[in-house]
């Protein structure tokens, strides 16, 4: 009886202990499910935030690329308009010089015409005086008639004297006539000169009018071109403002992406560690149980190690990809350009920028744009991928996609000096090198 009572007590104890272990296992399983669900929700929320940030960044990059194309187009049109305005200015200066020269010529013609007209008046008066004198002598000779002539003959001492007197009368008449003809010819020449000068003056005035029309047309066209140039200045300012906004958005989303990736890594590692601890506790609690419980704990521990290893590989793969390089490089857009610098925040030059970005990923590169043409391995321009190093003569940048590089540059277009986006085909590409 005593033995039977002892067996009953022992049985009840075993049943109670088995029940306690059973409930303990149920609580651990429930706790594990809660952890898994919480981890899933956290990862889902993190994934959503990361996805939204990447989407916003991609949209901003696309918009920025479009705006940069607009800026390049506007600057090209501005340069073309400025060239046209400069040409119009040159033509306008030439026309103004011609107008002034023509005005001087007209003034000289006016002086010449005044002198010619004065000479004409003198010629007319001289001709009139000569004509009147000749008429007086002809009248005198006519009125005195043959008697005067006869008296002249009778008074002659010899025949030779008679001939001389007859010749004298004839000479006076011929002289008067020739002198009158000469004065008439002089008057005619002066009249022709006056007419010629008047015609030349009229032609000069017509030329001046033509030049003045050209001046008016050139000034009108120049005003139109200047107005168009002002419009493009406004458009350029608007485009540059948009570009700055998109760059700010990209920088902001890069920060969000980096934070989300860091949070995801921390959550994953913490969850794996927590799961391992829980399983270890379960294993410790069940160590007094059967061998099957021990093997179950071992299996859980093995699974935890596997998960941890997978997370480590994922992190390493992401940090060593071209896309990760491109994303990291874009975080520093807007920071200053400093010749010879290597600081991504305080200032760097083109090769210093590439060197410092890749240094973040454990890759040592030379601080020389020409030396960077030999690093990694070569790929074709048509096969460029984010993270590739794009080499030019005296310059280098990192390809980020959509025919765009991020680079440290001290030249236009906007902004002039600093880390910024630039069209990949801004210069002739000498080499494309890939590290990852």
């Amino acid at each position: 009886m005593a033995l039977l009572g002892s067996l009953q007590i022992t049985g009840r104890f075993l049943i109670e202990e088995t029940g306690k272990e059973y409930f303990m296992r149920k609580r651990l399983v429930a706790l594990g499910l809660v952890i898994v669900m919480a981890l899933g929700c956290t990862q889902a929320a993190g994934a959503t935030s990361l996805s939204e940030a990447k989407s916003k960044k991609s949209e901003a990059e696309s918009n920025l690329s479009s705006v940069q194309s607009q800026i390049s187009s506007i600057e090209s049109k501005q340069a073309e308009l400025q060239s046209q305005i400069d040409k119009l200015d040159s033509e306008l200066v030439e026309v103004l010089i011609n107008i002034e020269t023509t005005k001087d010529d007209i003034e000289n013609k006016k002086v010449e015409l005044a002198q010619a007209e004065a000479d004409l008046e003198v010629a007319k008066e001289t001709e009139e005086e000569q004509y009147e004198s000749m008429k007086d002598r002809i009248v005198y000779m006519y009125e005195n008639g043959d008697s005067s002539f006869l008296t002249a003959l009778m008074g002659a001492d010899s025949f030779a004297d008679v001939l001389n007197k007859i010749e004298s009368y004839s000479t006076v008449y011929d002289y008067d006539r020739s002198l009158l003809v000469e004065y008439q010819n002089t008057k005619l020449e002066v009249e022709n000169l006056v007419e010629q000068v008047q015609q030349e003056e009229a032609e000069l005035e017509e030329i001046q009018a033509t030049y003045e029309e050209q001046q008016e047309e050139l000034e009108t066209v120049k005003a139109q071109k200047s107005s168009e140039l002002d419009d493009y200045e406004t458009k350029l300012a608007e485009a540059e403002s948009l570009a700055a906004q998109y760059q700010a958005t990209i920088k902001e989303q890069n920060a969000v992406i980096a934070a989300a990736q860091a949070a995801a890594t921390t959550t994953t590692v913490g969850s794996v560690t927590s799961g391992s601890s829980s399983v270890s506790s379960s294993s410790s609690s069940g160590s007094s149980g059967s061998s099957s419980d021990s093997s179950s704990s071992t299996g859980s521990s093995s699974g935890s190690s596997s998960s941890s290893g997978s997370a480590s590989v994922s992190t390493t793969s992401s940090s060593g990809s071209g896309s990760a390089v491109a994303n990291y490089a874009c975080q520093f857009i807007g920071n200053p350009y400093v010749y010879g610098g290597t600081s991504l925040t305080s200032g760097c030059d083109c090769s210093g920028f590439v060197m410092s970005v890749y240094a973040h990923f454990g890759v040592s590169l030379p601080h020389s744009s020409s030396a960077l043409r030999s690093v990694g391995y070569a790929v074709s321009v048509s096969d460029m991928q984010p993270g590739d190093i794009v080499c030019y003569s005296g310059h280098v940048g990192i390809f980020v996609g959509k025919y765009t590089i991020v680079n440290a540059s001290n030249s236009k277009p906007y902004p002039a000096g600093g880390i910024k986006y630039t069209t990949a085909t801004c210069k002739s590409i000498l080499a494309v090198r890939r590290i990852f």
Side-chain angles (χ1 to χ4, degrees):
M1 290 295 291
L3 179 60
L4 179 59
S6 177
L7 288 174
Q8 287 177 342
I9 292 171
T10 301
R12 282 197 303 271
F13 175 78
L14 289 174
I15 290 171
E16 288 176 358
E17 289 297 318
T18 301
K20 288 180 181 180
E21 183 177 349
Y22 172 74
F23 285 114
M24 180 63 72
R25 288 184 180 278
K26 286 186 68 176
R27 290 178 64 185
L28 289 173
V29 170
L31 179 60
L33 289 173
V34 170
I35 292 173
V36 170
M37 290 176 67
L39 177 61
C41 292
T42 301
Q43 290 177 337
T48 301
S49 176
L50 184 61
S51 175
E52 289 178 355
K54 287 183 176 180
S55 176
K56 289 180 180 178
K57 176 188 172 183
S58 177
E59 182 181 359
E61 287 175 338
S62 177
N63 290 335
L64 179 61
S65 177
S66 176
V67 170
Q68 286 176 331
S69 296
Q70 291 177 17
I71 290 174
S72 297
S73 176
I74 290 171
E75 290 178 334
S76 175
K77 290 177 180 177
Q78 279 182 314
E80 182 181 353
L81 275 173
Q82 189 60 57
S83 176
Q84 293 174 0
I85 290 173
D86 291 342
K87 184 178 179 182
L88 287 169
D89 276 333
S90 178
E91 293 176 0
L92 189 56
V93 168
E94 184 178 353
V95 168
L96 290 173
I97 291 173
N98 289 335
I99 288 175
E100 291 303 315
T101 302
T102 304
K103 285 181 178 179
D104 291 340
D105 291 342
I106 290 174
E107 290 302 317
N108 293 334
K109 283 298 175 185
K110 287 183 181 297
V111 174
E112 187 178 344
L113 179 59
Q115 183 61 50
E117 288 175 341
D119 292 343
L120 179 59
E121 290 301 319
V122 172
K124 286 179 178 180
E125 291 176 1
T126 304
E127 179 204 18
E128 189 66 27
E129 291 174 359
Q130 176 60 25
Y131 180 63
E132 292 298 328
S133 297
M134 188 181 71
K135 283 197 304 181
D136 289 342
R137 278 190 288 271
I138 291 173
V139 169
Y140 174 78
M141 292 171 64
Y142 176 76
E143 288 177 346
N144 287 280
D146 293 340
S147 60
S148 297
F149 186 66
L150 181 60
T151 301
L153 289 177
M154 291 299 291
D157 295 334
S158 63
F159 183 71
D161 191 21
V162 171
L163 291 178
N164 286 334
K165 289 182 181 294
I166 293 172
E167 185 178 358
S168 177
Y169 276 106
S170 179
T171 299
V172 170
Y173 175 77
D174 289 343
Y175 173 76
D176 282 340
R177 183 172 182 81
S178 64
L179 196 59
L180 179 60
V181 171
E182 180 183 346
Y183 288 153
Q184 287 176 337
N185 289 337
T186 300
K187 186 190 76 170
L188 182 60
E189 288 176 1
V190 175
E191 286 177 344
N192 291 337
L193 177 61
V194 170
E195 184 178 350
Q196 178 184 345
V197 174
Q198 288 175 338
Q199 184 177 353
E200 290 174 353
E201 181 184 11
E203 290 174 354
L204 287 171
E205 289 175 346
E206 185 177 350
I207 291 172
Q208 180 183 358
T210 301
Y211 283 141
E212 288 174 348
E213 288 179 2
Q214 291 179 5
Q215 176 187 357
E216 185 177 353
E217 290 176 0
L218 289 171
E219 288 176 344
T220 300
V221 174
K222 180 185 174 182
Q224 292 173 348
K225 298 293 183 184
S226 298
S227 178
E228 290 179 26
L229 191 61
D230 290 339
D231 289 342
Y232 279 118
E233 286 290 346
T234 302
K235 292 179 181 178
L236 180 62
E238 292 174 353
E240 288 175 344
S241 176
L242 280 175
Q245 292 176 22
Y246 292 138
Q247 287 171 340
T249 299
I250 291 169
K251 190 172 183 179
E252 178 183 346
Q253 296 309 314
N254 279 331
V256 172
I257 290 170
Q261 289 175 337
T265 302
T266 302
T267 302
T268 301
V269 172
S271 299
V272 170
T273 303
S274 175
S276 298
S277 300
S278 299
V279 172
S280 297
S281 298
S282 174
S283 176
S284 299
S285 299
S287 58
S288 59
S290 64
S291 60
S292 62
D293 295 334
S294 176
S295 65
S296 176
S297 288
T298 302
S300 298
S301 177
S302 176
S304 298
S305 298
S306 175
S307 298
S308 177
S310 175
S312 175
V313 170
S314 175
T315 302
T316 303
S317 175
S318 174
S319 63
S321 70
S323 296
V325 171
N327 289 337
Y328 179 74
C330 292
Q331 296 180 39
F332 304 99
I333 288 176
N335 290 340
Y337 175 93
V338 175
Y339 180 76
T342 58
S343 172
L344 296 173
T345 55
S346 301
C348 58
D349 59 13
C350 63
S351 57
F353 173 69
V354 174
M355 181 187 75
S356 298
V357 167
Y358 269 94
H360 177 76
F361 296 89
V363 178
S364 178
L365 295 178
H367 189 183
S368 166
S369 59
S370 58
L372 286 169
R373 299 176 202 163
S374 304
V375 302
Y377 59 94
V379 296
S380 65
V381 174
S382 60
D383 191 37
M384 287 192 297
Q385 295 180 6
D388 289 349
I389 301 172
V390 185
C391 304
Y392 309 88
S393 176
H395 190 59
V396 67
I398 297 174
F399 186 70
V400 296
K402 297 181 180 178
Y403 298 100
T404 302
I405 62 169
V406 60
N407 63 136
S409 172
N410 196 31
S411 61
K412 292 183 177 181
Y414 174 88
I419 299 173
K420 58 188 176 181
Y421 289 110
T422 304
T423 303
T425 54
C426 62
K427 298 173 66 176
S428 178
I429 298 176
L430 300 182
V432 180
R433 310 299 295 187
R434 184 169 294 165
I435 303 299
F436 297 123

